[in-house]
């Protein structure tokens, strides 16, 4: 029995099967990340009101589910003590989600909960598969995700320079903002900012890491996402401070870190100046309060149209969306807190938040400081919009990147 933290037996045929399942898993994860809602809507009714139930679920959901089932049925699983804690948190999270979905089904609101399957349930299945893989394979997948983020930033930079998009984008806007390989400029900026921190986990050369930091920083600034742009600057500082510095002595490491910090500050100021000169930071000229930011605040006014019973136990999300459009002129509810409260009720929303917090508590146990800070930054940025309550790969990506951090591992194994 090979104790590498994954499901395996000694016969070579089992090893070959595991490799095939791993390659399939990598394909479906990248498919879930790269094939976003804007692309899928060109072929099927993924997020539109029309279409069958099968169309409402991302194709990668079925693939990741089959891979998880294949591993569960064909291998004896050995997990470290840390991974067992994650597995328990996943089971608790899924049990709580099932309870919430049952509540929605009884109340007749299950038709608006597809994002729970495509955002949260698929992430749980992917985490299970990830924990059954060797550490080396986990790191390879995490680095592929980081390469995707860098590629998305490069595409976004090219889109900004050419003032044209590679992927379809239906929403209108006053100022051109690139989307890269994401489905929204805010998502592009968010993942550029968070990706900078996760570069510290990659097993790449320092020069390649620094190049990735620069690309992601420029991508965040080009996206026009103001809060994410500030977060990207903070991520650069965290990366420079917390990135391990190889040196002969502690004093030498501190000196190198100081020199790198000074050089990084000069590069950061230069990049910001250049991006300001080419107009990438034009949205900062009007400050942080504009029509877009006010829309995320004024949407809380829909609570005035709910009864106390609807506020506590949930309301018809379709009716609230009509209120948002007719009364406030907002075609979308750009607040995950409002969506969760309306859909689950305040009690259900608090339960959902506790389940999610418990899941990430288990995920972050023993991780490096920069990974913890990156996760906190991710949720801080995601809560400024509706990223947590739509069909997206955000939760999938943050969970898989977190599992790739092997700073601390328990030596106890449980079958």
């Amino acid at each position: 029995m090979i104790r590498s933290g994954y499901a395996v037996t000694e016969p070579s045929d089992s090893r070959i099967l595991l490799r095939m399942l791993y390659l399939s898993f990598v394909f479906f994860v990248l498919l879930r990340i790269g094939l976003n809602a804007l692309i899928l809507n060109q072929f099927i009714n993924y997020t539109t009101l029309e279409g069958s139930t099968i169309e409402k679920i991302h194709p990668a959901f079925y693939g990741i589910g089959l891979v998880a089932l294949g591993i569960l049925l064909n291998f004896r699983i050995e997990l470290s003590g840390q991974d067992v804690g994650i597995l328990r948190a996943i089971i608790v999270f899924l049990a709580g989600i099932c309870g919430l979905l049952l509540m929605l089904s009884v109340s007749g609101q299950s038709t608006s909960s597809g994002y729970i399957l495509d955002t949260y349930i698929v992430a749980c299945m992917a985490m299970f598969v990830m924990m059954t893989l060797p550490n080396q394979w986990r790191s390879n997948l995490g680095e592929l995700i980081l390469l995707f983020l860098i590629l998305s930033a490069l595409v976004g930079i090219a889109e900004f320079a050419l003032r044209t998009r590679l992927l379809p984008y239906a929403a209108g806007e006053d100022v051109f903002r690139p989307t890269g390989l994401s489905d929204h400029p805010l998502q592009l900026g968010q993942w550029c900012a968070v990706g900078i921190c996760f570069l510290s986990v990659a097993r790449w050369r320092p020069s390649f890491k620094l190049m990735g930091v620069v690309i992601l920083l420029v991508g965040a600034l080009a996206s026009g996402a103001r809060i994410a742009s500030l977060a990207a600057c903070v991520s650069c500082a965290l990366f420079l401070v917390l990135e391990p510095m190889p040196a002969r002595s502690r004093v030498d490491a501190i000196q190198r870190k100081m020199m790198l910090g000074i050089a990084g500050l000069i590069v950061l100021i230069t990049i910001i100046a250049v991006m300001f000169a080419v107009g990438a930071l034009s949205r900062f000229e009007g400050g942080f309060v504009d029509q877009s930011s006010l829309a995320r605040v004024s949407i809380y006014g829909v609570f005035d149209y709910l009864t106390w019973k609807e506020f506590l136990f949930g309301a018809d999300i379709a009716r609230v969306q009509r209120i948002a459009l007719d009364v406030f002129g907002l075609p979308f509810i750009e607040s995950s807190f409002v969506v969760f409260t309306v859909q689950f009720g305040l009690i259900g929303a608090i339960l959902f938040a506790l389940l999610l917090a418990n899941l990430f508590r288990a995920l972050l146990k023993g991780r490096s400081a920069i990974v913890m800070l990156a996760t906190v930054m991710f949720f801080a940025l995601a809560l400024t919009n509706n990223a947590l309550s739509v069909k997206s790969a955000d939760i999938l990506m943050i969970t898989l990147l977190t599992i790739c951090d092997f700073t601390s591992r328990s030596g106890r194994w449980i079958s």
Side-chain angles (χ1 to χ4, degrees), residues 300 303 311 335-342 346 349 383 385-386 389:
Y300 286 88
F303 290 138
F311 181 73
S335 170
S336 293
F337 177 78
V338 173
V339 172
F340 292 145
T341 304
V342 170
L346 182 62
L383 287 173
N385 51 67
N386 61 346
S389 55

Side-chain angles (χ1 to χ4, degrees), residues 143 146-147 150 199-213 239 243-246 260:
E143 288 166 356
L146 288 174
L147 286 174
I150 293 174
L199 280 175
S200 180
V201 181
R203 304 160 301 171
W204 299 335
R205 294 179 180 178
S207 58
F208 193 76
K209 287 186 180 182
L210 290 175
M211 183 176 64
V213 169
F239 178 87
E243 173 69 10
M245 179 65 66
L260 183 61

Side-chain angles (χ1 to χ4, degrees), residues 248-261:
R248 291 172 295 180
S249 64
R250 184 176 181 85
V251 175
D252 190 28
I254 294 176
Q255 291 176 344
R256 291 188 179 187
K257 187 78 70 172
M258 291 178 62
M259 294 177 62
L260 183 61

Side-chain angles (χ1 to χ4, degrees), residues 334-411:
E334 295 191 38
S335 170
S336 293
F337 177 78
V338 173
V339 172
F340 292 145
T341 304
V342 170
Q343 193 163 28
F344 303 134
L346 182 62
I347 296 176
I350 293 175
L351 175 61
F352 181 85
L354 292 175
L355 291 170
L356 193 60
N358 180 67
L359 178 62
F360 275 88
R361 176 199 60 78
L363 276 171
L364 293 175
K365 184 178 180 181
R367 307 295 178 184
S368 58
I370 195 167
V371 168
M372 295 182 184
L373 293 172
T375 305
V376 172
M377 181 182 294
F378 163 76
F379 280 102
L381 292 174
L383 287 173
T384 61
N385 51 67
N386 61 346
L388 299 178
S389 55
V390 294
K391 296 178 179 180
S392 73
D394 289 1
I395 294 294
L396 174 69
M397 293 171 69
I398 190 72
T399 52
L400 296 186
L401 286 174
T402 300
I403 293 178
C404 291
D405 180 21
F406 303 113
T407 303
S408 174
R409 283 289 173 192
S410 171

Side-chain angles (χ1 to χ4, degrees), residues 150 153-154 157 192 195-196 199 206-222 232 236 239-240 263-264 267-268 270-272 275:
I150 293 174
L154 287 172
I157 295 169
C192 285
I196 291 173
L199 280 175
S207 58
F208 193 76
K209 287 186 180 182
L210 290 175
M211 183 176 64
V213 169
V214 172
I215 293 174
L216 291 176
L217 174 61
V218 176
L221 296 175
C236 290
F239 178 87
L240 293 175
V267 172
L268 178 62
T270 303
I271 291 175
I272 292 176
M275 297 300 289

